[in-house]
Amino acid sequence: MITFSSISTAKLIRKELIPEICGSLLAAFGIHSFALHAAFPMTGFSGISALFYYFFQIPVGTFNLLLNIPVAFFCYKFLGKRFFFRSVRCLLFFSLALDLAAPYFPVYTGERLLAAICTGVFCGLGFSIIYMSGTSTGGMDFITMSVKFKHPHLPLGKIIFTSDTILVLLGGFLLHDIDGIIYGIITSYLSSFVIDKFMYGMDTGKLALIITEHGDQICQTIDQISERGCTILTAYGGYSKLEKQMVICACNNKQMYPLKSAIKKVDPNCFFIILESNEVIGEGFKTN
């Protein structure tokens, strides 16, 4: 007999524990098998822990866990109880993966540039899986989210970029390695790029905003060319004070150019805006 408790446990394992463990293993593989042996500075608490590994041979996972204890204590009240405790659990998985599982992974000993690329890709994949499950590995995530909570006017991207830059420069200075700074920046950029693409980029597309007086004709043209639906909103010219229509249409990247050409033939005077859309959810795209 299947009980409610067994269903809840199975959901917990599928939705939380498996992504946290898999993401931790991927990120640990990227750090241990590529970054540590190429000896270039990294961002986050993993980067600080790597410096202590280089100089004092302290295990990266252990020192990463020790660094997080005071940070977690001070940031607890800003993060929310559920997110905090899930992040602590994931932090334990990540630290164990770095110290216990990662030493059994194969180690890359080739070009440092390739090591930097692989570090960015594997860490990006690992952390994106963790973020998509609704948690984090603590460290700089705790600090940046707390800073954002205290200073909501500061853009999150700037907070992260500033902290990453400081840590990479500090690591390069301590290691006396200018090339390492470049590799660290490459790793940081690639990791962020992979996270964005993995979390949002699978369903990227274009969003067209067309200001026109021929909304119905343009909608028909869009349907004929791409079989995409669209929405018509009433627009009001700020300068002309004339009422017009704004047609909104989401499509994939390949469809935008023929759509633009066909719409311009219907209304050469229309005002056409093309925007990047990170994710499109709905009929004809991602469904959930």
Side-chain angles (χ1 to χ4, degrees), residues 98-133:
L98 279 169
D99 285 353
L100 300 182
Y104 293 97
F105 295 153
V107 174
Y108 177 75
T109 57
E111 295 290 333
R112 294 180 82 196
L113 177 59
L114 292 178
I117 293 172
C118 291
T119 301
V121 171
F122 282 107
C123 287
L125 288 173
F127 290 133
S128 61
I129 292 172
I130 290 170
Y131 296 153
M132 289 171 70
S133 71

